[in-house]
Amino acid sequence: MDIVATITEELNIKRYQTENTIELLNNGNTVPFISRYRKEVTGNLDEEKIRQIEELFNYYKNLEEYKKTVLKSIEEQGKLTPNLKTKILETKKMTELEDLYLPYKKRKKTNADKAVEAGLEPASIKVLVGSLKDLEELQEFITKDYDTIEKVCEGISHIIGQTFAHDKDNRESLRKYYEKNGYVQSEKKKEFIDKPTKYDMYHEFKQEISKIYNYRVLALNRGEKEGVLTVKLVIDDQWLEDAKRRFKTENEICNKIIFDGIDYGFKNMLNPSIEREIRQNLTQRAEDDAIELFARNLRQLLLTPPLKNKKILAIDPGYRTGCKVVALDELGKFLEHNTIFPVPPENEIEKSEKIVLEMIKKHKINLIVIGNGTASRETQQFIVDLIKKNKLDLKYIFVDESGASVYSASKLAKEEFPNLDVTIRGAISLGRRVQDPLAELVKIDPKSLGVGQYQHDVNQKKLKEKLDATVVSVVNNVGVNLNTASYSLLQYVSGITNSVAKKIVKYREENGPFSERKELFNIKGLGEKTFEQAAGFLRILDGNNPLEMTGIHPESYEITERLITILGFKIEDLKDKETLELIKQKISEILNNKENLSALIKELDVGEYTLIDILKELQKPGRDPRDEMPQPQLMDDILKFEDLKEGMKLSGKITNITDFGAFVDIGIKENGLIHKSNLSEKFVRHPSEVLEINDIVEVEILSIEEERKRIGLKLIEVKK
């Protein structure tokens, strides 16, 4: 099989794009580096396409290796025909290869295998062609283990049944019949029928395989795993009846043995095998979809815009142990901590007010951050009253606590704050999540961030790989400040390992901030390849060369300097705001005029994609793509569940997206839910078609369930 041709056709790209991408990957280049700095080589393939090429190449490479194993095994058995060999070599699917290999695969000896060993195979052929006139003709096949005509007939049926079950065409036919006409069916086990469970909707449940939603597949799997549900696939008798008709002869004696064999093969081998395979396929599809949704949600969460230049008072609320309060400067440096008890059971309002006011004044705080967990709403009430009573020019914001406790007890947190209690570390993390969400959230296992669905039910290896790839993608897309980033953030930069990241931080601590990227060569273990992969994603905001604050790779500095000279400016002009505006204006003229762009490409002898990227970087040197995202909502008042009324219109922020809807933070403890049927007047297949995490939305309250504290919402507008 020509792997390159197969991938090229499957992804609908050009052959050179596949070949060059595979070569780049094989030479140790990372996906972010290839997609950003090798566009000419790949024909401007994006990250997703490059990762697809990587995955398919590995899949087909493994398939080809397995083919060798299969061919060798069948050949050793003396059963490899030219026709079978061709079929094996030409197959492009692992399932097809398994079907072809199944009759020859080493297995525990079956009833059919025993019958073959006893010499009943010639008799089975005689039955299949309908040439058996009388059962007495089977007398010659009687042996010690098959000592009656009845046992001989049974042995023949076993051979016919296994041959029928192992036939590639029969397997493919039944597979397609299930997919087109089959149903998923479930019911609660007897002991749970009269008990309320979270799987009640799946009692006496039946839905077409072709139409079942992925989240229902995962819910059924979980219910089955927990022992509450019995789940199976069902089809009508039509396929089996049609199969029997194909094998029917003019001889009723033979037909009886044949049909017994087909029933045996279908019930004991073929049907269980295909049912198991289809359930595995449904599960894999559902898991892949859940993992993809998790990754999309994670990407949006990591791209939450930072609230820059904010001196923060972060509060991690609590009842019995009190609220942990920390002050952080604009860069997230820890300044001071206290514990206050403004909520039940202590209700030390005055004392708490005094402590908080002193911290606000002492550290010139201009934003309060409140964790959204236990006692958060009582703490919110305390802060709102404090702001109003003292007429403070302050706003507050809620921050999701998901994963904060995981971080605070981690080895990394102990390294960062060895002398602080875990609860104080948690409060610091909450405050930093607002100042630079990406830098703080990368310290936490993505599975602990509260943006997934069924994350514990899916393939953990695939989930980890996908989420790690998402973190890497976002970190390199945003870029990393070389002089402020922790090693936990640096290790996600293209080409940089955990050990190299630690060496970078250590070098910075011992030698002061970096003034240019090439200083990285002073770090032991950081060679040419690592520098090539990483340099473009590392930013130095106050470096010797203004280009160091951009995403322009050092390999393109010379071209960039010539470009700026052609435009009539100097590199230093990038630091001057007024001159920068003139540069931006000239760049816009070039980007909007194909002739000017073509002339520059020729004069600089540079690729079109590379030049366009350089021009765009010069338009916004030091640009943070997160700044273009919807900004977080700051609050200065309070809303309670009791204040809500049907028909009320509110603003909120999307906090999580699932297969069935999107959750919205509307400023109270309970999140509201926009079911996907209330996202638009038109049909919406999936909420992610309309919304992303962090979107600011206007919603209308459709329903309020006071007992369960549930709020049903309708989407009015997405405020982009």
Side-chain angles (χ1 to χ4, degrees), residues 41-53:
V41 183
T42 68
N44 198 28
L45 293 179
D46 60 22
E47 271 192 58
E48 186 179 351
K49 271 284 190 289
I50 293 167
R51 291 194 191 280
Q52 286 176 335
I53 290 171

Side-chain angles (χ1 to χ4, degrees), residues 322-335:
C323 302
K324 310 304 175 183
V325 186
V326 300
L328 305 173
D329 72 6
E330 302 96 321
L331 298 176
K333 181 183 176 183
F334 168 68
L335 302 173

Side-chain angles (χ1 to χ4, degrees), residues 22 41 66 138 181 183 189 203 224 234 260 269 303 323 419 425 460 484 498 579 581 633 637 652:
I22 290 171
V41 183
Y66 190 42
L138 298 175
N181 304 293
Y183 287 83
K189 290 186 176 180
H203 180 52
E224 185 178 46
V234 292
D260 284 349
M269 288 178 269
L303 286 171
C323 302
N419 301 318
R425 294 178 199 149
Q460 295 301 296
T484 60
N498 180 275
T579 314
E581 289 305 313
Q633 285 190 308
D637 213 328

Side-chain angles (χ1 to χ4, degrees), residues 28 42 85 94 223 241 270 291 328 370 390 416 473 488 529 576:
T42 68
K85 184 176 182 179
M94 194 65 80
E241 293 305 315
L270 178 58
I291 289 169
L328 305 173
I370 304 171
N390 296 277
E416 287 190 292
S473 174
S488 55
K529 190 66 178 180
D576 184 81

